[in-house]
Amino acid sequence: MKKLYSAVEIDLKMRFVLWKRRRNTQLNDSNVKVQLSSSEGYLKLVVFLLPKKNNYMRIAEYFIRSILESNYSGTEIRFVCSKEANYIDRNILNTGVSMYDSEDLDTWGLPSDHIENQVRDLHAEGFVDLDPEFNPVNASLAIASNSPIRIGFESSLANHYYNITLSTKEPFLLEKSYKKIEKLLGLA
């Protein structure tokens, strides 16, 4: 059975560019202890990176609805996604949505300094990549965020970008992984 995270092959050139950017973007507080209760028992701001593919976005929409409909104790929720992810219900994302397009990416297809600075300036305490396949843009934004909590899905490169990785070996387990994220962030 093919593992979900092996579906995306990252070529050697892209791996080198990612490695170089990762080295240049050193985390300011790399030794910061992760605290899930920095603001009276809840995180101040959590940013979710939405998947680009429509089939993953449909599953993510159910997750987003459950978070927005629950009482998440004052945590501000923001979303970042590609304009190409066209299956987004705008009524669901009535909180802050930042969208990027090809003009916000450099020649390698990675986020420009401008978009990385915008993400960094959010000062998010939690940064979650909801894309189950490794996405170099999302990974670059996660590391640029300097967030003490960076959650993503397991892949050969994920440990370099996320300090919490979730394993999903079957597509139907994606919903269970989203529920784990919700519990980890105290949003359940």
Side-chain angles (χ1 to χ4, degrees), residues 57-121:
M57 188 59 216
R58 288 184 188 119
I59 297 170
E61 276 194 51
Y62 293 113
F63 171 70
I64 293 164
R65 278 191 185 133
S66 72
I67 288 175
L68 295 177
E69 291 172 358
S70 70
N71 179 11
Y72 45 84
S73 305
T75 299
E76 183 181 352
I77 305 291
R78 296 272 186 98
F79 302 96
V80 176
C81 67
S82 168
K83 287 184 181 176
E84 293 176 22
N86 57 10
Y87 188 79
I88 300 168
D89 182 353
R90 303 286 183 233
N91 296 325
I92 292 174
L93 304 178
N94 57 5
T95 60
V97 179
S98 298
M99 299 184 95
Y100 62 87
D101 60 13
S102 60
E103 293 177 12
D104 296 315
L105 304 177
D106 65 12
T107 56
W108 289 98
L110 297 173
S112 66
D113 290 338
H114 173 71
I115 193 88
E116 284 185 352
N117 288 335
Q118 284 181 339
V119 166
R120 190 175 297 110
D121 290 344

Coordinates of all heavy atoms in Angstrom, one line a residue, residues 57-121:
M57 N -9.0 19.6 0.7 CA -9.6 20.8 1.1 C -11.0 20.5 1.6 O -11.5 21.1 2.6 CB -9.7 21.9 0.0 CG -10.2 23.2 0.5 SD -9.2 23.9 1.8 CE -10.4 24.7 2.8
R58 N -11.7 19.6 0.9 CA -13.1 19.2 1.4 C -13.0 18.6 2.8 O -13.9 18.9 3.6 CB -13.7 18.2 0.4 CG -14.0 18.8 -0.9 CD -14.7 17.8 -1.8 NE -14.8 18.4 -3.2 CZ -14.3 17.9 -4.3 NH1 -13.6 16.8 -4.2 NH2 -14.5 18.5 -5.4
I59 N -12.1 17.8 3.1 CA -12.0 17.2 4.4 C -11.6 18.3 5.4 O -12.1 18.4 6.5 CB -10.9 16.1 4.4 CG1 -11.4 14.9 3.5 CG2 -10.7 15.6 5.9 CD1 -10.4 13.9 3.3
A60 N -10.7 19.2 5.0 CA -10.3 20.3 5.9 C -11.4 21.2 6.2 O -11.5 21.8 7.3 CB -9.1 21.1 5.3
E61 N -12.4 21.4 5.3 CA -13.5 22.3 5.5 C -14.4 21.8 6.7 O -14.8 22.6 7.5 CB -14.4 22.4 4.3 CG -13.9 23.5 3.3 CD -14.9 23.8 2.3 OE1 -16.0 24.2 2.6 OE2 -14.5 23.8 1.1
Y62 N -14.5 20.5 6.8 CA -15.3 19.9 7.9 C -14.6 20.2 9.2 O -15.2 20.6 10.2 CB -15.5 18.4 7.8 CG -16.4 18.1 6.6 CD1 -16.0 17.4 5.5 CD2 -17.8 18.4 6.6 CE1 -16.8 17.1 4.4 CE2 -18.6 18.1 5.6 CZ -18.1 17.5 4.5 OH -18.9 17.2 3.4
F63 N -13.3 20.1 9.2 CA -12.4 20.4 10.4 C -12.6 21.8 10.8 O -12.8 22.2 11.9 CB -11.0 20.0 10.1 CG -10.0 20.5 11.1 CD1 -10.0 19.9 12.4 CD2 -9.1 21.5 10.9 CE1 -9.1 20.3 13.4 CE2 -8.2 21.9 11.8 CZ -8.2 21.3 13.1
I64 N -12.5 22.7 9.8 CA -12.6 24.2 10.0 C -13.9 24.5 10.6 O -14.0 25.3 11.6 CB -12.3 24.9 8.7 CG1 -10.9 24.8 8.3 CG2 -12.6 26.4 8.9 CD1 -10.6 25.2 6.9
R65 N -15.0 23.9 10.0 CA -16.3 24.2 10.6 C -16.4 23.8 12.0 O -17.0 24.5 12.9 CB -17.4 23.4 9.8 CG -17.8 24.1 8.5 CD -19.0 23.4 7.9 NE -19.3 24.0 6.6 CZ -19.5 23.4 5.5 NH1 -19.5 22.1 5.5 NH2 -19.7 24.0 4.4
S66 N -15.9 22.6 12.4 CA -16.0 22.1 13.8 C -15.2 23.1 14.7 O -15.7 23.3 15.8 CB -15.5 20.7 13.9 OG -14.1 20.6 13.8
I67 N -14.1 23.6 14.3 CA -13.4 24.5 15.1 C -14.1 25.8 15.3 O -14.3 26.3 16.4 CB -12.0 24.8 14.5 CG1 -11.1 23.6 14.7 CG2 -11.3 26.0 15.2 CD1 -9.7 23.8 14.0
L68 N -14.6 26.4 14.2 CA -15.3 27.7 14.3 C -16.6 27.6 15.0 O -17.1 28.6 15.6 CB -15.5 28.2 12.9 CG -14.2 28.6 12.1 CD1 -14.5 29.1 10.7 CD2 -13.4 29.6 12.9
E69 N -17.3 26.4 15.0 CA -18.6 26.2 15.7 C -18.4 25.9 17.2 O -19.3 26.0 17.9 CB -19.4 25.2 15.0 CG -19.9 25.6 13.6 CD -20.6 24.4 12.9 OE1 -20.6 23.3 13.4 OE2 -21.0 24.7 11.7
S70 N -17.2 25.5 17.5 CA -16.9 25.2 18.9 C -16.5 26.4 19.7 O -16.2 27.5 19.2 CB -15.8 24.1 19.0 OG -14.6 24.7 18.7
N71 N -16.5 26.3 21.0 CA -16.1 27.4 21.9 C -14.6 27.2 22.1 O -14.2 26.4 22.9 CB -16.8 27.3 23.2 CG -16.4 28.4 24.1 OD1 -15.7 29.3 23.7 ND2 -16.9 28.3 25.4
Y72 N -13.8 27.9 21.4 CA -12.3 27.7 21.5 C -11.7 28.7 22.4 O -10.5 29.1 22.2 CB -11.6 27.6 20.1 CG -12.1 28.6 19.1 CD1 -11.5 29.9 19.1 CD2 -13.0 28.3 18.2 CE1 -11.9 30.8 18.2 CE2 -13.5 29.2 17.3 CZ -12.9 30.5 17.3 OH -13.3 31.4 16.3
S73 N -12.4 29.2 23.4 CA -11.9 30.0 24.5 C -11.0 31.2 24.1 O -10.0 31.5 24.7 CB -11.0 29.1 25.4 OG -11.8 28.0 25.8
G74 N -11.4 31.9 23.1 CA -10.8 33.2 22.8 C -9.6 33.1 21.9 O -8.9 34.1 21.6
T75 N -9.2 31.9 21.4 CA -8.1 31.8 20.4 C -8.5 32.4 19.1 O -9.6 32.1 18.6 CB -7.8 30.3 20.2 OG1 -7.4 29.8 21.5 CG2 -6.6 30.2 19.2
E76 N -7.7 33.3 18.6 CA -7.9 33.9 17.3 C -7.4 32.8 16.2 O -6.3 32.3 16.3 CB -7.2 35.2 17.1 CG -7.4 35.9 15.8 CD -6.6 37.1 15.6 OE1 -6.0 37.6 16.6 OE2 -6.6 37.7 14.5
I77 N -8.3 32.6 15.2 CA -8.0 31.6 14.2 C -7.8 32.4 12.9 O -8.6 33.2 12.5 CB -9.1 30.6 14.0 CG1 -9.5 29.9 15.3 CG2 -8.8 29.6 12.9 CD1 -8.4 29.0 15.8
R78 N -6.6 32.1 12.2 CA -6.4 32.7 10.9 C -6.1 31.6 9.9 O -5.7 30.5 10.3 CB -5.1 33.6 10.9 CG -5.3 34.8 11.8 CD -5.9 36.0 11.0 NE -5.9 37.2 11.7 CZ -5.0 38.2 11.6 NH1 -4.0 38.0 10.8 NH2 -5.1 39.3 12.4
F79 N -6.2 31.9 8.6 CA -6.0 30.9 7.6 C -5.1 31.5 6.5 O -5.2 32.7 6.2 CB -7.3 30.4 6.9 CG -8.3 29.9 7.9 CD1 -9.2 30.7 8.5 CD2 -8.2 28.5 8.3 CE1 -10.1 30.1 9.4 CE2 -9.1 28.0 9.2 CZ -10.0 28.8 9.7
V80 N -4.2 30.6 5.9 CA -3.3 31.0 4.8 C -3.5 30.0 3.8 O -3.5 28.8 4.1 CB -1.8 31.1 5.2 CG1 -1.0 31.4 4.0 CG2 -1.6 32.2 6.3
C81 N -3.7 30.4 2.5 CA -3.9 29.4 1.4 C -3.5 30.0 0.1 O -3.4 31.2 -0.1 CB -5.3 28.9 1.4 SG -6.5 30.1 1.0
S82 N -3.3 29.1 -0.8 CA -3.1 29.5 -2.2 C -4.4 30.0 -2.9 O -5.5 29.4 -2.6 CB -2.5 28.3 -3.0 OG -2.5 28.6 -4.4
K83 N -4.3 30.9 -3.8 CA -5.5 31.3 -4.5 C -6.0 30.2 -5.4 O -7.1 30.2 -5.8 CB -5.3 32.6 -5.3 CG -5.2 33.8 -4.5 CD -5.0 35.1 -5.3 CE -4.9 36.3 -4.4 NZ -4.7 37.5 -5.1
E84 N -5.1 29.2 -5.7 CA -5.5 28.1 -6.5 C -6.4 27.1 -5.8 O -7.0 26.3 -6.4 CB -4.2 27.4 -7.0 CG -3.4 28.2 -8.0 CD -2.1 27.6 -8.4 OE1 -2.0 26.3 -8.3 OE2 -1.2 28.3 -8.8
A85 N -6.4 27.2 -4.5 CA -7.3 26.3 -3.7 C -8.7 26.9 -3.8 O -9.2 27.6 -3.0 CB -6.9 26.2 -2.3
N86 N -9.4 26.6 -4.9 CA -10.7 27.3 -5.2 C -11.9 26.6 -4.6 O -13.0 27.0 -4.9 CB -10.8 27.4 -6.7 CG -10.7 26.1 -7.4 OD1 -10.8 25.0 -6.8 ND2 -10.7 26.1 -8.7
Y87 N -11.7 25.6 -3.8 CA -12.9 25.0 -3.2 C -13.1 25.5 -1.8 O -13.6 24.7 -0.9 CB -12.7 23.4 -3.2 CG -13.9 22.7 -2.8 CD1 -15.0 22.5 -3.7 CD2 -14.1 22.2 -1.5 CE1 -16.1 21.9 -3.3 CE2 -15.2 21.6 -1.1 CZ -16.3 21.4 -2.0 OH -17.4 20.8 -1.6
I88 N -12.9 26.7 -1.5 CA -13.0 27.2 -0.2 C -14.3 27.9 0.0 O -14.6 28.8 -0.8 CB -11.9 28.2 0.2 CG1 -10.5 27.5 0.1 CG2 -12.0 28.8 1.5 CD1 -9.3 28.4 0.1
D89 N -15.1 27.6 0.9 CA -16.4 28.2 1.2 C -16.1 29.5 2.0 O -15.7 29.5 3.1 CB -17.3 27.3 2.0 CG -18.7 27.9 2.3 OD1 -18.9 29.1 2.0 OD2 -19.5 27.1 2.8
R90 N -16.3 30.6 1.3 CA -16.0 31.9 1.9 C -16.8 32.2 3.2 O -16.3 32.9 4.1 CB -16.2 33.1 0.9 CG -15.4 32.9 -0.3 CD -14.0 33.2 -0.1 NE -13.3 33.1 -1.4 CZ -12.2 32.4 -1.6 NH1 -11.7 31.7 -0.6 NH2 -11.6 32.4 -2.8
N91 N -18.0 31.6 3.4 CA -18.7 31.8 4.6 C -18.1 31.1 5.8 O -18.3 31.6 6.9 CB -20.2 31.2 4.4 CG -20.9 32.0 3.3 OD1 -20.8 33.2 3.2 ND2 -21.7 31.3 2.5
I92 N -17.4 30.0 5.5 CA -16.7 29.3 6.6 C -15.5 30.2 7.1 O -15.3 30.3 8.3 CB -16.2 28.0 6.1 CG1 -17.4 27.0 5.9 CG2 -15.3 27.3 7.2 CD1 -17.0 25.7 5.3
L93 N -14.8 30.7 6.2 CA -13.6 31.5 6.5 C -13.9 33.0 6.7 O -13.3 33.8 6.1 CB -12.5 31.3 5.4 CG -12.2 29.9 5.0 CD1 -11.2 29.8 3.9 CD2 -11.6 29.1 6.3
N94 N -14.8 33.2 7.6 CA -15.1 34.6 7.9 C -14.1 35.3 8.8 O -14.2 36.5 9.0 CB -16.5 34.8 8.4 CG -16.7 34.0 9.7 OD1 -15.8 33.4 10.2 ND2 -17.9 33.9 10.2
T95 N -13.2 34.6 9.3 CA -12.1 35.2 10.1 C -11.0 35.5 9.1 O -11.1 35.3 7.9 CB -11.6 34.2 11.2 OG1 -11.2 33.0 10.6 CG2 -12.7 34.0 12.2
G96 N -9.8 35.9 9.6 CA -8.7 36.4 8.7 C -8.3 35.3 7.8 O -7.9 34.2 8.2
V97 N -8.3 35.6 6.5 CA -7.8 34.7 5.5 C -6.7 35.5 4.7 O -7.0 36.6 4.2 CB -8.9 34.3 4.5 CG1 -8.3 33.4 3.4 CG2 -10.0 33.6 5.2
S98 N -5.5 34.9 4.6 CA -4.5 35.5 3.7 C -4.3 34.5 2.6 O -4.1 33.3 2.8 CB -3.2 35.6 4.5 OG -3.3 36.5 5.6
M99 N -4.3 35.1 1.4 CA -4.1 34.3 0.2 C -2.9 34.7 -0.6 O -2.6 35.9 -0.6 CB -5.4 34.4 -0.7 CG -6.6 33.9 0.0 SD -8.0 33.9 -1.1 CE -8.0 32.2 -1.6
Y100 N -2.2 33.8 -1.1 CA -1.0 34.1 -1.9 C -1.2 33.5 -3.3 O -2.0 32.5 -3.5 CB 0.3 33.6 -1.3 CG 0.3 32.1 -1.1 CD1 0.8 31.3 -2.1 CD2 -0.1 31.5 0.1 CE1 0.9 29.9 -2.0 CE2 0.0 30.1 0.2 CZ 0.4 29.3 -0.8 OH 0.5 28.0 -0.6
D101 N -0.5 34.1 -4.3 CA -0.6 33.5 -5.6 C 0.9 33.4 -6.2 O 1.8 33.6 -5.4 CB -1.5 34.3 -6.6 CG -1.0 35.8 -6.7 OD1 0.1 36.1 -6.3 OD2 -1.8 36.6 -7.2
S102 N 1.0 33.1 -7.4 CA 2.3 32.9 -8.0 C 3.2 34.2 -7.9 O 4.4 34.0 -7.9 CB 2.2 32.5 -9.5 OG 1.5 33.4 -10.2
E103 N 2.6 35.3 -7.9 CA 3.4 36.6 -7.8 C 4.1 36.7 -6.4 O 5.0 37.4 -6.2 CB 2.5 37.8 -8.0 CG 2.1 37.9 -9.5 CD 1.1 39.0 -9.7 OE1 1.0 39.9 -8.8 OE2 0.5 39.1 -10.8
D104 N 3.6 36.0 -5.4 CA 4.1 36.0 -4.0 C 5.2 34.9 -3.9 O 5.7 34.8 -2.8 CB 3.0 35.8 -3.0 CG 2.0 36.9 -3.0 OD1 2.4 38.1 -3.0 OD2 0.8 36.6 -2.9
L105 N 5.5 34.2 -4.9 CA 6.5 33.2 -4.9 C 7.8 33.6 -5.7 O 7.7 34.4 -6.6 CB 6.0 31.9 -5.4 CG 4.7 31.4 -4.8 CD1 4.2 30.1 -5.5 CD2 4.9 31.2 -3.3
D106 N 8.9 33.1 -5.3 CA 10.2 33.4 -6.0 C 10.3 32.5 -7.2 O 9.4 31.7 -7.5 CB 11.4 33.4 -5.0 CG 11.6 32.0 -4.5 OD1 11.1 31.0 -5.0 OD2 12.5 31.9 -3.5
T107 N 11.5 32.6 -7.8 CA 11.8 31.8 -9.0 C 11.7 30.3 -8.7 O 11.5 29.5 -9.6 CB 13.1 32.1 -9.6 OG1 14.1 32.0 -8.7 CG2 13.1 33.5 -10.2
W108 N 12.0 29.9 -7.5 CA 11.9 28.4 -7.1 C 10.5 28.0 -6.7 O 10.3 26.8 -6.4 CB 12.9 28.2 -5.9 CG 14.3 28.3 -6.3 CD1 15.1 29.4 -6.2 CD2 15.1 27.3 -7.0 NE1 16.3 29.1 -6.7 CE2 16.4 27.8 -7.2 CE3 14.8 26.0 -7.4 CZ2 17.4 27.1 -7.8 CZ3 15.8 25.3 -8.0 CH2 17.1 25.8 -8.2
G109 N 9.6 28.9 -6.7 CA 8.2 28.6 -6.3 C 8.0 28.5 -4.8 O 7.1 28.0 -4.3
L110 N 8.9 29.2 -4.1 CA 8.9 29.3 -2.6 C 8.5 30.7 -2.2 O 8.6 31.6 -3.0 CB 10.2 28.9 -2.0 CG 10.7 27.5 -2.3 CD1 12.1 27.3 -1.8 CD2 9.7 26.5 -1.6
P111 N 7.9 30.9 -1.0 CA 7.5 32.2 -0.6 C 8.5 33.3 -0.7 O 9.7 33.0 -0.3 CB 7.0 32.0 0.8 CG 6.8 30.5 1.0 CD 7.8 29.9 0.0
S112 N 8.1 34.4 -1.1 CA 9.1 35.6 -1.2 C 9.3 36.1 0.2 O 8.5 35.8 1.2 CB 8.5 36.7 -2.1 OG 7.3 37.2 -1.5
D113 N 10.3 36.9 0.4 CA 10.5 37.5 1.7 C 9.3 38.3 2.2 O 9.0 38.3 3.4 CB 11.8 38.5 1.6 CG 13.1 37.7 1.4 OD1 13.1 36.5 1.8 OD2 14.1 38.3 1.0
H114 N 8.6 39.0 1.3 CA 7.5 39.8 1.7 C 6.4 38.9 2.4 O 5.9 39.3 3.4 CB 6.9 40.5 0.4 CG 5.6 41.2 0.7 ND1 5.6 42.3 1.4 CD2 4.4 40.9 0.3 CE1 4.3 42.7 1.5 NE2 3.6 41.9 0.8
I115 N 6.0 37.8 1.7 CA 5.0 36.9 2.3 C 5.5 36.3 3.6 O 4.8 36.1 4.6 CB 4.4 35.9 1.3 CG1 3.2 35.3 1.8 CG2 5.4 34.8 1.0 CD1 1.9 36.0 1.5
E116 N 6.8 35.9 3.7 CA 7.3 35.3 4.9 C 7.3 36.4 6.0 O 7.0 36.0 7.2 CB 8.8 34.8 4.7 CG 8.8 33.5 3.9 CD 10.2 33.0 3.8 OE1 11.2 33.6 4.2 OE2 10.3 31.8 3.3
N117 N 7.6 37.6 5.7 CA 7.5 38.7 6.8 C 6.1 38.9 7.2 O 5.9 39.1 8.4 CB 8.1 40.0 6.2 CG 9.6 39.9 6.1 OD1 10.3 39.1 6.8 ND2 10.2 40.7 5.2
Q118 N 5.1 38.8 6.3 CA 3.7 38.9 6.8 C 3.4 37.8 7.7 O 2.7 38.1 8.7 CB 2.8 38.9 5.5 CG 2.8 40.2 4.7 CD 1.8 40.0 3.6 OE1 1.5 38.9 3.1 NE2 1.4 41.2 3.0
V119 N 3.8 36.6 7.4 CA 3.5 35.5 8.3 C 4.2 35.6 9.6 O 3.6 35.4 10.7 CB 3.9 34.2 7.6 CG1 3.9 33.0 8.6 CG2 2.9 33.9 6.5
R120 N 5.5 36.0 9.6 CA 6.2 36.2 10.8 C 5.6 37.3 11.7 O 5.6 37.2 12.9 CB 7.7 36.6 10.5 CG 8.6 36.6 11.7 CD 10.1 36.9 11.2 NE 10.6 35.8 10.3 CZ 10.8 36.0 9.0 NH1 10.7 37.2 8.5 NH2 11.3 35.0 8.3
D121 N 5.1 38.4 11.1 CA 4.5 39.5 11.8 C 3.2 39.2 12.5 O 2.7 39.9 13.3 CB 4.3 40.7 10.9 CG 5.6 41.4 10.5 OD1 6.7 41.1 11.1 OD2 5.6 42.1 9.5

